[in-house]
Amino acid sequence: MNTATLAMDDDDDEAPNVGKYDVLVSAEVAAAGRMGLAQGHRCCGGCCDMRRAVIIVDAVGIFICVFYAIYFAILATVVEETDSSTMDDATKQQVEGMMVQMEHVFLGLMAIKIPLNGLGIYGAMKFKHWPVAVALAAYVVEVIIDAVTFNIGGLLLAGFFAYPHVVFLREMKSGVMSELNYPTEKYSCCCV
């Protein structure tokens, strides 16, 4: 006689169904047929689940924005303070004007992009569809701009950052990823 049968025989005195199920789940999870089996996609070669991937890429996106804002501020200052002996005054004024315009445009774009990345982080943490979709829309616009300007590096980076958003939204819509079953889907190869 195996141990499962022994356990059932021991419980027969109290109630006939005791011991058959060892996991209690909500009706939504049971109806979806996901009882303890992770079905979510893994990002970056199995490094983490899609929720964590959205949080990570949006946090990295914010870091990149802050880095470039500081970089352009320093670059504009350096251009203004360069020795003008190699350039005539008109050329130097044109270069300074272009740098100031470029810095203002870039800072304006970052003032839009940082809050949108923040929305993506919020949406992933709270399992909200629309904030993640808004963050995805920002990446789609970035992909379009990079494609039109033939910026291959930016195109690849924006596409790589958009990918977790697309999959996470698909998983939330299909019910694979939700607040109820996230403990089953939770995965990370490191301490993140």
Side-chain angles (χ1 to χ4, degrees), residues 38 42 46 51 67 70 118 125 127 137 147 161 164-166 170-171 183:
R42 303 286 181 247
R51 178 181 180 238
F67 172 78
I70 294 169
M125 292 184 74
F127 295 93
F161 281 14
H165 292 76
V166 170
R170 193 185 79 220
E171 287 181 353

Side-chain angles (χ1 to χ4, degrees), residues 30-113:
R34 292 174 189 79
M35 296 199 188
L37 302 174
Q39 297 180 347
H41 185 74
R42 303 286 181 247
C43 188
C44 303
C47 182
C48 59
D49 61 78
M50 284 298 145
R51 178 181 180 238
R52 287 175 191 249
V54 168
I55 293 168
I56 290 168
V57 297
D58 282 340
V60 169
I62 290 172
F63 173 77
I64 289 171
C65 289
V66 170
F67 172 78
Y68 275 124
I70 294 169
Y71 172 76
F72 274 112
I74 292 171
L75 187 63
T77 304
V78 168
V79 167
E80 287 175 4
E81 295 176 358
T82 56
D83 184 22
S84 62
S85 63
T86 59
M87 293 187 259
D88 61 351
D89 288 337
T91 305
K92 184 175 181 186
Q93 286 178 353
Q94 283 180 335
V95 170
E96 287 177 5
M98 275 190 344
M99 286 303 298
V100 168
Q101 282 182 338
M102 200 162 71
E103 180 184 7
H104 290 306
V105 167
F106 191 79
L107 290 176
L109 291 174
M110 295 307 105
I112 296 168
K113 190 166 171 31

